[in-house]
Amino acid sequence: MELSKELLLKFYKDMVRIRNFELKAEELFLQGKLPGFIHLYIGEEAIAVGAMANLRVEDYITSTHRGHGHMLAKGASMRKMMAELYGKKHGYCKGKGGSMHIADVSIGVLGANGEVGGGLPIAVGAGMAIKLQKKDSVVISFFGDGASNRGAFHEALNWASVFKLPVIFLNENNQFASTERVQETTSVENISDRAVGYNMPGVSIDGNDVIAVFETVKEAVERARNGGGPTLIEAKTYRLKGHFVGDPQLYRTKEEVDLKWPNEPISRFEKKLFEGGYLTEKEKEEIWNDAKNEVEDAVLFAEQDEYPAPEEALEDLFEDSTNCLY
Amino acid sequence: MREITFSEALGEAILEEMSRDPTIFTYGEDIAKQGGIFGAYKPILGKYQDRIIDTPISEEVIFGSALGAALAGMRPVAEFHFADFLFTGMAAIANQIMKFKYMTGGQGKLHLILRGPDGISKSAAAQHSESIETIFMHIPGIKVIIPSTPYDMKGLFKTALRSDDPVICFEHKMLYRMKGPVPEEEYYIPFGVADVKREGKDVTVIATSRMVHESLLAAQELEKEGVSVEVVDLRTLVPWDKETVFKSVKKTHKVVIAHETWRRAGWGAEIAATIQEELFDYLDAPIRRVGAKNVHIPFSPPLQDFVVPDKNSVIEAVRSVL
Ligand SMILES: Cc1ncc(C[n+]2csc(CCOP(=O)(O)OP(=O)(O)O)c2C)c(N)n1
């Protein structure tokens, strides 16, 4: 398939935006400006970007604790994301959720999730709604290799298959679940092999190749839109940073990580773009600068924003909280 | 006496008992290589490696398998990583572990322990912050321990490791690094024996876990105003020590209960109701409860501070009963 220059550059720009957001989040966290935990998506950008290029606003995703990249690729506001990371009033969750709980229901982002695998049943629910409404929307549920060992994963796949729901289960196998290597906790070599048990197509791809992700997800999305049911895709990648910022990483060596950097998705794709004559040094510089400026603007927005007033902690539990707070 | 941290006390308890009892083994997510997400298991890193096991992220099996392992003769200690993820495997706990013995007419020795961190830390947000010990007091079938000091941690855990009943142990995230005196000699703290952490005569404050320390700070401040506060640390919720609580109430005639778990239907409600039912004539003021507001624990620091009680909440409650 020939992809347009426009699309290829969009892939690149979106990956660079995510990378810059994450680098900034890391820096801010280390400066003590962000409360809570931050799980970085560095090295995994090709998956969110390649996948999301197939989606429309009316399509849904469910995300994970490592969700910043998914949000940005689906079109979330960087300003509101950053403000949430700060715990400020105009963040996505008005300071109640933080990094792991960002949602933007208006653009189909049905939530990051602090519970590993928590998004899978939610995605199935969105798939049922689509089917009942006779729409041609789809859902992509992102989850890690670790999440694929939870009961929720198995139940969700079976369910989606039985009801032929338009759900794409997009596994981001970054080789680790916190401190645990995938080989130590997972019984199959390819997580996509598990699709057999649920009678759906399953495929493993190079998750650091944005075009491969785009094309594989495209096929699955088309099948889902046409009533062909769910697909399990495993995108193999590598988590280049710690599980969270500050992780001492006692479970792997620096040498191992250094060896993986040359395969990271952005510089790899960049080389291709240069070779194909799609990108010049000057354009590259502009794209990086634009991304940095966008991130700086988001940081400024977040820093100038105020903290919520303490009493706001009592809002948002119900539509009508009358008499519910005691 | 030497001082060690809460985590070290836990580690010592496990190591001492492991060396004595080869059926003890411990497992959970991220414990063997890093010592647990809050370093609770750091003291046992590299020891008894075949009996300290990293598992898949499979909460229902982590908890449910403890029952099977216990019935098959081992003494499992399963870590729940974050108390919030007890919900993730709750069917295995509430429908299997807690009911097995009763439903089978008393069969089996369910010597198993579920343990792990609960409570707030610095902005972990709702899915990693909640104190849910009350739920395990409400449903019959498991003993609930909730230590507040390194001394209590070690002594209670040693007892848990010798108990033939299921035990769940809640360790507050903010306490793991706290140091305190722990004797070198072996000791055990029985379940159902509260500890008077501070003697006083005007008001009894009943607390557990982090709120014991907030209550002690509150007592120090109130002392400057001439108010003498007695702080009773329950240490275990199932069973809970009615005797010590009643003795204190009969002395002070005024009661404040302080926990981090939600105020509404929190375990304090049970204690307050029991005191009211059985000691009504001794009370000189209504019993006051301090707990988290009835919303989830929010992320942003000013919101978290507002929702979760601290020493000031205790001071205010004590003043209101004087
Ligand atoms: C149900 C549940 N169990 C445990 C945790 C703690 N935890 C948070 S992230 C994580 C590892 C997740 O690994 P994986 O699904 O592979 O995603 P990755 O972090 O690699 O993106 C664990 C164990 C959790 N958040 N939820």
Side-chain angles (χ1 to χ4, degrees), chain A residues 65-66 114-116 144-147 150 174 176-178 243, chain B residues 29-30 57 59 81 85 88 128:
Chain A
H65 57 285
R66 200 177 299 290
E115 180 187 310
V116 169
D145 44 286
R150 269 206 54 212
N174 63 15
F176 293 95
S178 193
H243 173 52
Chain B
E29 297 156 21
D30 302 316
I57 307 172
E59 278 75 12
H81 211 79
F85 305 137
T88 305
H128 289 79

Side-chain angles (χ1 to χ4, degrees), chain A residues 34-37 83-88 94-101 112-116 146-147 149-151 155 177-181 184-186 243-244 247-251 307-315 317 323-326, chain B residues 28-38 42 45 53-61 81-82 84-85 87-89 121-129 173 263-265 292-307:
Chain A
L34 307 182
F37 310 109
E84 189 58 34
L85 262 50
Y86 272 80
K88 296 289 183 78
K94 305 181 206 163
K96 295 199 176 75
S99 163
M100 277 190 288
H101 305 287
N113 216 304
E115 180 187 310
V116 169
N149 293 322
R150 269 206 54 212
E155 295 181 26
S178 193
T179 68
E180 303 177 341
R181 268 177 212 274
E184 296 166 340
T185 54
T186 306
H243 173 52
F244 51 83
D247 176 0
Q249 301 183 60
L250 302 180
Y251 49 86
Y307 282 107
E311 296 73 23
E312 290 175 38
L314 303 182
E315 297 170 3
L317 190 64
N323 299 341
C324 291
L325 290 172
Y326 52 86
Chain B
E29 297 156 21
D30 302 316
I31 63 174
K33 281 185 234 62
Q34 209 149 281
I37 213 79
F38 289 90
K42 269 203 182 127
L45 272 187
I53 302 162
D54 275 338
T55 66
I57 307 172
S58 303
E59 278 75 12
E60 183 141 11
V61 182
H81 211 79
F82 281 85
D84 312 71
F85 305 137
F87 291 124
T88 305
S121 62
K122 291 200 176 97
S123 284
Q127 289 177 334
H128 289 79
S129 291
K173 298 177 190 105
R263 204 184 93 97
R264 181 178 63 210
K293 297 191 170 62
N294 298 320
V295 292
H296 298 285
I297 309 297
F299 168 73
S300 188
L303 299 184
Q304 177 175 303
D305 291 347
F306 179 73
V307 167

Side-chain angles (χ1 to χ4, degrees), chain A residues 88-110:
Chain A
K88 296 289 183 78
K89 187 177 168 78
H90 295 93
Y92 261 118
C93 317
K94 305 181 206 163
K96 295 199 176 75
S99 163
M100 277 190 288
H101 305 287
I102 295 176
D104 186 345
V105 177
S106 73
I107 57 163
V109 177
L110 307 185

Side-chain angles (χ1 to χ4, degrees), chain B residues 206-245:
Chain B
I206 302 163
T208 55
S209 192
R210 182 181 71 88
M211 287 312 291
V212 170
H213 301 283
E214 295 295 317
S215 302
L216 288 170
L217 291 172
Q220 260 175 32
E221 292 205 11
L222 287 160
E223 188 176 34
K224 292 181 208 142
E225 300 167 18
V227 182
S228 165
V229 175
E230 178 146 306
V231 178
V232 178
D233 179 357
L234 286 183
R235 301 200 292 198
T236 64
L237 291 176
V238 179
W240 69 277
D241 182 358
K242 224 156 100 167
E243 205 178 305
T244 302
V245 166

Side-chain angles (χ1 to χ4, degrees), chain B residues 130-145:
Chain B
E130 308 209 307
S131 304
I132 56 169
E133 61 271 16
T134 297
I135 292 163
F136 299 88
M137 186 186 197
H138 180 65
I139 308 172
I142 198 162
K143 295 188 175 165
V144 182
I145 69 180

